[in-house]
């Protein structure tokens, strides 16, 4: 790859992770609120102009990100260490967040799964919730997977699966994560966004796990 192209790609990688963290920090004060409530808050309607808000608990400064960014960064670190996406190594990078009580505003679903792993009640392949638990906790972990697999989008479902299943094994969650990874992979290499092509790539990735999601 030419030097300039490598630099551009590296900048986009950084931008994707930074964008995830910024979006997380902008939304964190309103996490768990209903859609009608959020829609009624003037500062939320124009978050970019309104800037970062303080969390209502008073425990976090304005601009604080949540466990969404923490877990995504854990995946980044695991890939940097292993040179590949490895579910076991991802789990090893997630464990300290819960073991050392570093998780910011931890969610119940991920915590239940990680505690089974910490207590030795299950391994990284079986600690995740079975079908029926459909939550967004795992989705941020798909972003670095999409970056890693940007040059081989056909492999994204297989790369995403072990990373997501650490906490969630419902096919719908896997499909959403695969679609997100495909979107990231497509956008990071695009000079021009062709929406139909991007949606086809997302649908194809999601379809490996959940046909209805692929159709939607």
């Amino acid at each position: 790859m030419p030097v300039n192209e490598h630099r551009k790609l590296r900048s986009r990688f950084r931008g994707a992770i930074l964008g995830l963290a910024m979006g997380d920090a902008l939304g964190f004060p309103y996490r768990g609120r209903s859609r009608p409530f959020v829609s009624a808050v003037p500062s939320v309607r124009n978050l970019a102009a309104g800037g970062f808000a303080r969390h209502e608990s008073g425990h976090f400064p304005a601009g604080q990100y949540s466990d969404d960014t923490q877990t995504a960064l854990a995946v980044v670190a695991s890939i940097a260490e292993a040179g590949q996406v490895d579910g076991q190594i991802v789990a090893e990078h997630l464990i300290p967040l819960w073991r050392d009580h570093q998780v910011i505003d931890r969610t119940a679903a991920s915590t239940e799964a990680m505690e089974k792993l910490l207590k030795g009640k299950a391994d990284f392949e079986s600690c995740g919730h079975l079908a029926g638990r459909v939550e967004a906790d795992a989705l941020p972990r798909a972003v670095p997977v999409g970056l890693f697999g940007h040059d081989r989008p056909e492999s994204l479902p297989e790369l995403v699966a072990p990373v997501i299943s650490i906490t969630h094994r419902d096919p719908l969650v896997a499909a959403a994560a695969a679609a997100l990874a495909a979107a990231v992979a497509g956008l990071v290499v695009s000079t021009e966004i062709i929406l139909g092509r991007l949606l086809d790539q997302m649908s194809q990735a999601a379809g490996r796990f959940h046909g209805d999601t692929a159709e939607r």
Side-chain angles (χ1 to χ4, degrees):
M1 179 184 294
V3 173
N4 287 342
E5 289 299 315
H6 178 74
R7 287 175 178 169
K8 182 186 295 185
L9 189 60
R10 183 171 61 182
S11 176
R12 288 184 174 188
F13 273 39
R14 289 174 174 170
I17 299 300
L18 181 59
L20 184 156
M22 290 177 65
D24 182 16
L26 284 167
F28 181 42
Y30 312 103
R31 183 175 181 173
R33 293 291 192 174
S34 67
R35 182 171 295 182
F37 174 87
V38 172
S39 299
V41 178
S43 61
V44 177
R45 289 198 292 268
N46 193 0
L47 281 172
F52 298 108
R54 286 185 60 85
H55 193 275
E56 64 180 1
S57 69
H59 298 311
F60 305 104
Q64 174 65 60
Y65 55 65
S66 76
D67 61 330
D68 287 348
T69 300
Q70 288 182 297
T71 55
L73 290 176
V75 178
V76 171
S78 74
I79 293 173
E81 175 185 306
Q84 61 181 330
V85 178
D86 184 298
Q88 176 68 58
I89 297 175
V90 170
E92 290 171 359
H93 280 77
L94 291 172
I95 283 172
L97 295 174
W98 275 266
R99 182 193 63 207
D100 302 336
H101 306 288
Q102 296 176 351
V103 185
I104 299 169
D105 195 38
R106 64 184 187 175
T107 58
S110 289
T111 296
E112 289 170 19
M114 292 304 299
E115 285 183 348
K116 286 197 291 184
L117 185 59
L118 280 167
K119 294 176 181 177
K121 295 181 178 179
D123 60 20
F124 80 97
E125 294 178 308
S126 59
C127 62
H129 296 289
L130 295 174
R133 290 293 295 267
V134 179
E135 292 128 331
D137 301 20
L139 297 188
R141 283 177 256 146
V143 173
V145 175
L147 296 176
F148 178 76
H150 73 279
D151 55 349
R152 47 191 187 286
E154 70 286 347
S155 69
L156 288 174
E158 285 70 34
L159 292 174
V160 162
V163 176
I164 300 305
S165 64
I166 296 170
T167 56
H168 291 78
R169 290 186 279 166
D170 189 285
L172 180 56
V173 178
L180 176 57
V184 170
L187 292 171
V188 80
V189 297
S190 298
T191 55
E192 179 183 2
I193 298 174
I194 301 175
L195 185 58
R197 181 186 300 169
L198 182 66
L199 292 175
D200 284 344
Q201 292 171 346
M202 294 171 66
S203 177
Q204 185 175 4
R208 303 281 283 273
F209 299 105
H210 198 264
D212 287 347
T213 298
E215 289 297 321
R216 287 197 294 271

